[in-house]
Amino acid sequence: MQFLIALHINPAVLDALTDEEKAALGQGHGAFIEGLKASGELIVTQALADPSQAAVVSVRNGQPVVTDGPFLESKEYLGGFYLIDCENKARAIELAAQIPDAAINGLGVEVRQVMFSDGQLEA
Amino acid sequence: MTGPTVEDLLRELTPQVLGALVRRQGHFEGCEDAVQEAVLAAAVQWPDSGVPENPRGWLVTVASRRLIDQIRSDHARRERESATAFEAAADDVPGTDDTLVLLFLCCHPTLTPASQTALTLRAVGGLTTAEIARAFLVPEATMAARISRAKQQIRAAGRSFSLPAGAEREERLGVVLHVLYLIFNEGYTASSGRELDRVDLAQEAIRLARMVHAQLPEDGEVTGLLALMLLTHARREARTTAAGDLVPLDEQDRARWDRTLIDEGTGLAKASLAGPALGPYQLQAAIAATHADAVSAAATNWRQVHALYLILERIAPNPMVTLNRAVALAETEGPQAGLALLSTLDGDERVAGHYRLLSVRAHLLEQAGDPAGAYALYRRAAKSTASLAEQRYLESRARRVRPGSNR
């Protein structure tokens, strides 16, 4: 089964971390990625650029309209994700709990099952 | 076309060659790599040069050399294998089949089911990592890591290359059969459309089950599992529309069921029931055979189906079995009886909120003349499944009973 583990981040929460805490966060993700790679459960992981760089695109009367900034007016943004292939939902949750964000108040780790895939599988 | 023939031969020989090599050398991990290389060499050479007189001996010899090369030197020695037929190694006993031992090894209980299935398909099924990855819709690197981890775990487990005995053998055979069952099911669930370059996992599971059955023809559960696969596979063409939509059992065009598979499966199911013990696969095969026997859903012997589910429920209690029994019960005693049985599952967290429970209840409410209740449950069921095909089916059911619709 494939799951997307979405990492919802709050820039204010991240900024408030000490340097040591930030370093530990990075190392935690590094170790998590290595573990997932070794077990053959990682499909891909990506981290996204800051939401201030986002552009929201809509088409009105056939014309594209571009607005700078994120779509959601929220303190939290999608910061990145892990796409994994694992045994079942229980395992996905077990893995999600290993992500350092899960232990930090104000950061969200959300597990969603994948329903349709195409395109990236010939890697 | 010699291509498919060579390929079939190689796939059949792979586990035998690997078994022979592991028996002689120990060292499963290295042997597995060496055999893959030998098979690759054969796949390239045999279509041109012809199949050697003793193909199994050729593969054992080439794989042994690869293994020795690997062991002797870390620098890959790019020694090309000549196309001449090698003599079989002296200690290679033709006809000895280690396939079963190998299968037990690949389905080692310390591995996760995902690792067991991947390793089984590669080491026993003779599929390449790329083929397995495509079949499971994951990148090749992901599957390669999974297989490599599985091989390391087997080495760490340090088991000797022999069949387990006594009670352990029974238990381990249960794991092997479960792995084959998982591979078979994956063949149905993972494929939304049928892509030409993807290995048919259902066919592959049947091939592997035939191999086990050939080795253990007296085992009722092995026979039962093969029968269940054949009887399920027989409905394949009728199971979906050309557009890929699911067709439920009661609406399938039974003329499109494969009679050859049904005859073989029914024969095996009957034979398995004649044995001393009765297991879950035998019972499920017997249920599938009962359906196969009926010319229409209405003509089905539902009493027999219900009785078989009742026995299955006793020997292998599982809410999904109770769920299926409720369907059969509704056919014989009416929808209210089915609904009453379903209500016993409400407190069971293994199925609470599961789309199958929701959809069966919706179906029974529909039969009981409660379209509004059925509509709400079909909608909830559609939201609860991660299968697009199931979702489309459940939404079509919901549309059919929607209050205010003219049907």
Side-chain angles (χ1 to χ4, degrees), chain A residues 1-2 34-44 85-87 113-117 120-123, chain B residues 112-115 134 136-143 145-146 149 182 192 197 382 385-388 391:
Chain A
M1 287 183 187
Q2 296 189 1
E34 285 316 306
L36 277 184
K37 274 187 181 168
S39 66
E41 292 174 306
L42 180 67
I43 295 176
V44 69
D85 184 73
C86 66
E87 210 67 54
Q113 190 175 350
V114 173
M115 201 163 173
F116 174 80
S117 293
Q120 89 292 4
L121 297 166
E122 296 301 318
Chain B
T112 64
S115 298
R134 264 202 303 277
F136 285 90
L137 301 173
V138 300
E140 191 175 342
T142 302
M143 193 50 79
R146 196 175 295 172
R149 162 70 67 93
L182 287 179
S192 44
D197 61 340
T385 175
S387 154
L388 273 182
Q391 188 171 74

Side-chain angles (χ1 to χ4, degrees), chain B residues 237 240-245 247 256:
Chain B
E237 290 302 317
T240 49
T241 64
D245 290 329
V247 182
R256 295 179 70 204

Side-chain angles (χ1 to χ4, degrees), chain B residues 223-240:
Chain B
T223 310
L225 177 61
L226 178 57
L228 175 62
M229 287 180 179
L230 294 172
L231 289 165
T232 309
H233 203 58
R235 299 183 206 141
R236 167 166 258 203
E237 290 302 317
R239 213 176 151 264
T240 49

Side-chain angles (χ1 to χ4, degrees), chain B residues 61-75:
Chain B
T61 307
V62 174
S64 300
R65 290 186 179 182
R66 299 276 182 183
L67 185 66
I68 291 161
D69 280 355
Q70 270 176 34
I71 292 167
R72 274 193 194 144
S73 150
D74 287 338
H75 321 289

Side-chain angles (χ1 to χ4, degrees), chain B residues 10-52:
Chain B
L10 287 172
R11 304 260 318 273
E12 188 193 320
L13 289 174
T14 296
Q16 298 177 23
V17 172
L18 179 54
L21 215 60
V22 177
R23 183 175 286 284
R24 209 184 307 162
Q25 312 278 358
H27 203 279
F28 174 77
E29 220 180 329
C31 291
E32 213 277 323
D33 287 332
V35 170
Q36 284 274 331
E37 284 184 40
V39 167
L40 195 65
V44 172
Q45 293 178 24
W46 292 2
D48 289 336
S49 64
V51 176

